[in-house]
Every structure is written in C-alpha cells, then in structure tokens.
Amino acid sequence: MLIIDAHLDLAMNAMEWNRDLRQSVDDIRKREAGMNDKPDRGNGTVSFEELRKGNIGLVVATQIARYAAPGNPFHGWHSPGQAWAQTQGQLAWYKAMEEEGELMQVKDLRSLDIHLAYWDNDESERKTIGYILSLEGADSLVTLDHLHRAYEYGLRAIGPAHYGPGRYANGTDATGKMNENGLQLLKEMEKLNIILDATHLCDDAFWQAMDHFHGHVWASHNNCRALVDHNRQFSDDQIKILIERDAVIGAAFDAWMLVPNWIRKKSTPREMNCDLEKVIDNVDHICQLAGNTDHVAIGSDLDGAFGREQCPYDIETIADLQKIPSLLKKRGYADESINNIMHGNWLRFLRKAWGN
Ligand SMILES: [Zn+2]
C-alpha cells in the first residue's frame, strides 16, 4: 500500500548528521560506529532504499534552522542570516538528489498527479521518491521577501514555530502570542496559498493562528495530549478545531510523545512498552473525536534527531510503516479507512489545497 509520510527531516540528516541517504541503513549505521556527537548515532532508520521498500512514495521533507537570540534556552544560529544560509544548504542537497534521480519535487496538482501515476506504474528498482518542501520553524525567513523567494523554489508548507521562542511565533515549551511579524507572515502565507503547519505552535500562538489564518491548515507531526500530557501535544479542543478546519494530523513516532514518563537517553522502547500500538492509540483518539477517519494520517518524524533508540520497538527501519495497515485492521478499521490514514487523507488535503 502507498504510504505518505508528512514529516521527514531528510536534508537535516544529510547536512547536519552527515548521512548519505543513498546508502543502505546498515552502511549509514556502520559509518557512525563510535560517534557520540548526536543522541541517535548508529540508530538511523531512514534511507532512500528503505523508503522504497516501504512503498513510501511521497514525503513532506523539511528545511530546518533555528535562530537563538541571546538567552534563548535552545541552541540555534546567532543570526537569521546564518539560519537562512543553513536552509539554503539543505535546499542545495534536495536539488542534488533531484539531479541524481533520487527525489523529485511535488509542488502543485500537476506534479502531484504526474508523480503518483509514475510511482504506481514504474517497475524499476530505484524509483524516484516525491517530496513536498516544508519549513519547520520560520526563523530563517530573514524578511517576507525571503518567503517569496522560498515559494519560488517550491516551499509549500510552513510551521512558524519549533522549540522555544521564535522570531515569528513561540513554539514547544514556550508561551505567548505571535508578534506583528508572525501575523504578517500568516497573511503572506495565505496570499501565496502556503499550508500552515500547526505543529509546534505553543498554545497561545496556536489559537491566535486559528483566528488569523484563513488558508489551509495541517499538523504534519503531532500526537494527543490526552494520551501523553505535554504542551507539544494537542489538547482535544485543539484537535476539534483542526477537524473543523478540515485539517489532517500526522501521527508522530518519537517515543516520548507516545508513552508517558519517557526519560531521554535512559528509557528504552522495550522497557517502556513503546510499540506501534501506541501510534494506533493516537490515530484512534483523533478518529473518535472526529467521528470518522478523515483527519489523521502519518507524519512519522523518523530520524528527526531520534532513531531506533527512541521510537516504537517494532520499527527497525522506516519500511516498517507497512506494519500499520494490519494493526489498524486488527482494531476493526475498514479497508477504506486504512487507505485514508496511510495516504488518502493527505492526498485529499493536497488536492483541495492546490485545486484552485
Ligand atoms: Zn518537529
């Protein structure tokens, strides 16, 4: 079954983790033996080969670079210009992978349909994976002119915030409403028909954005506060307004967002009983609130600064996303609903967003 994964930090892995995603997961892991500069060394789950194996034919892939003002508790670049330059390096990697036939950019209805038909019919072993470009945290947009430039090179979704205080919006573990820049950003995104990614917006910014942004909203990788109580997760009220807005929410695979009381670098998925059933619990919670299966899908965030050491233990590589359909079936989900969750909901969303 075709799977669409709406959140992968592919370029971050390539350009900050120095992972050559053209290699096998095994080889990428071996190359990292003895390294301890990142918490997930030797535990990566994503490569182009594994995406193909998992029939994950379309992904939403990020550019990501934070700005950290003096006193910001989170690490980040010391100027917006540096953050912009970082995202441009990431863009250059996506372009290089396009030149090598690994990736192809999907940015409108036409390219979406062409890619889906190609993915369906092509028999070759090394199929080109489609990617939609998104920006996680808007700090790197030095000015709104940069937003227009980004739209020109294919940027189609933006999450204004990431962790902590941001230049446009405050994110996870922060509070406070958006400033004038944030509201201007939303207005300009709406004009350009760029999708608002509600993921990582702090509660204050989230509700403000719901009032001020009238375009298409999704949440690429977000779980439920009712299951693991943390501000990174959506409350039921937030999920309900997203459903009202016809949003789709991607279930995320980071273990601490799936099981309560996870302790970083200490807990293990097995001892915490963190398996794919916990992902299904989140999917199911959203379906129960919606009364249908139209508003939840997959946004795994695999290898988003965590790998095997901090994701469901029944995930060895991202190809194991293919285990989800049978787990949904066991819970009583109908085939049509399973199709929706694995790919149909993202496609319906994109067709609606890009249709006019
Ligand atoms: Zn994230």
Side-chain angles (χ1 to χ4, degrees):
M1 177 179 304
L2 171 68
I3 294 179
I4 298 176
D5 188 333
H7 194 82
L8 293 176
D9 297 319
L10 296 180
M12 183 190 86
N13 273 273
M15 303 308 291
E16 283 183 67
W17 267 243
N18 196 5
R19 287 174 170 164
D20 179 4
L21 301 182
R22 302 170 313 164
Q23 311 281 324
S24 71
V25 155
D26 248 13
D27 286 339
I28 295 169
R29 287 176 186 166
K30 275 189 201 136
R31 194 77 195 261
E32 297 181 358
M35 292 174 76
N36 53 17
D37 59 321
K38 308 278 188 196
D40 55 334
R41 284 297 184 196
N43 281 315
T45 66
V46 178
S47 71
F48 295 138
E49 186 184 27
E50 295 302 319
L51 286 168
R52 290 179 188 114
K53 249 190 238 168
N55 200 16
I56 304 162
L58 179 62
V59 304
V60 179
T62 64
Q63 296 172 291
I64 178 168
R66 194 185 297 127
Y67 163 66
N72 185 323
F74 294 88
H75 70 88
W77 296 99
H78 291 180
S79 70
Q82 287 167 281
W84 169 259
Q86 177 75 359
T87 62
Q88 298 314 290
Q90 293 167 349
L91 176 67
W93 177 79
Y94 286 119
K95 293 294 161 196
M97 292 304 101
E98 285 184 44
E99 279 172 31
E100 296 193 27
E102 302 284 356
L103 295 176
M104 92 137 215
Q105 194 182 58
V106 169
K107 59 177 182 178
D108 52 24
L109 216 43
R110 201 181 109 83
S111 48
L112 177 66
D113 285 333
I114 289 172
H115 178 69
L116 291 174
Y118 156 80
W119 188 266
D120 235 23
N121 296 315
D122 194 81
E123 300 285 323
S124 66
E125 233 168 65
R126 206 174 63 105
K127 284 203 280 192
T128 303
I129 298 155
Y131 79 101
I132 297 166
L133 192 62
S134 89
L135 179 66
E136 184 168 24
D139 290 354
S140 58
L141 299 173
V142 182
T143 67
L144 289 183
D145 178 62
H146 291 73
L147 173 71
H148 285 263
R149 280 194 244 168
Y151 181 82
E152 286 304 312
Y153 63 64
L155 184 68
R156 291 294 179 268
I158 298 178
H162 193 219
Y163 277 84
R167 291 181 59 233
Y168 293 95
N170 297 328
T172 302
D173 290 335
T175 57
K177 288 195 170 185
M178 268 178 271
N179 56 25
E180 194 47 42
N181 290 338
L183 297 176
Q184 284 300 328
L185 175 70
L186 292 182
K187 206 180 259 176
E188 217 56 27
M189 282 168 61
E190 196 177 315
K191 267 194 227 157
L192 290 167
N193 195 27
I194 292 177
I195 296 157
L196 170 66
D197 189 344
T199 300
H200 284 295
L201 288 172
C202 72
D203 285 1
D204 297 318
F206 174 93
W207 289 108
Q208 192 186 12
M210 290 303 117
D211 285 343
H212 283 84
F213 184 78
H214 310 286
H216 302 277
V217 184
W218 71 23
S220 61
H221 59 305
N222 227 114
N223 291 343
C224 306
R225 207 174 286 184
L227 300 178
V228 176
D229 186 13
H230 189 281
N231 70 75
R232 168 75 178 81
Q233 316 264 79
F234 284 143
S235 68
D236 285 358
D237 282 344
Q238 288 175 311
I239 294 168
K240 283 180 196 158
I241 187 110
L242 288 169
I243 291 165
E244 249 172 62
R245 294 287 295 260
D246 205 15
V248 176
I249 302 167
F253 286 49
D254 199 336
W256 78 265
M257 294 164 62
L258 293 167
V259 291
N261 307 314
W262 180 273
I263 302 168
R264 276 171 202 280
K265 294 184 187 170
K266 197 164 165 268
S267 300
T268 68
R270 285 227 176 247
E271 78 184 15
M272 298 299 281
N273 200 20
C274 181
D275 58 8
L276 282 168
E277 294 288 354
K278 306 298 180 294
V279 175
I280 311 290
D281 291 344
N282 280 274
V283 168
D284 193 61
H285 187 77
I286 293 167
C287 290
Q288 299 302 334
L289 287 175
N292 59 50
T293 56
D294 298 341
H295 298 282
V296 66
I298 304 298
S300 76
D301 198 15
L302 279 168
D303 294 1
F306 66 95
R308 270 185 308 178
E309 81 295 346
Q310 196 175 301
C311 78
Y313 62 74
D314 33 3
I315 294 268
E316 178 59 28
T317 78
I318 194 164
D320 291 320
L321 293 187
Q322 283 295 349
K323 293 177 176 173
I324 296 172
S326 64
L327 294 174
L328 286 167
K329 192 145 187 112
K330 259 203 321 209
R331 294 261 185 129
Y333 280 73
D335 289 343
E336 194 195 339
S337 295
I338 296 170
N339 285 336
N340 283 344
I341 293 163
M342 302 317 292
H343 60 259
N345 288 337
W346 290 130
L347 291 179
R348 178 178 48 82
F349 181 100
L350 288 167
R351 291 209 163 99
K352 183 175 166 191
W354 291 347
N356 37 29

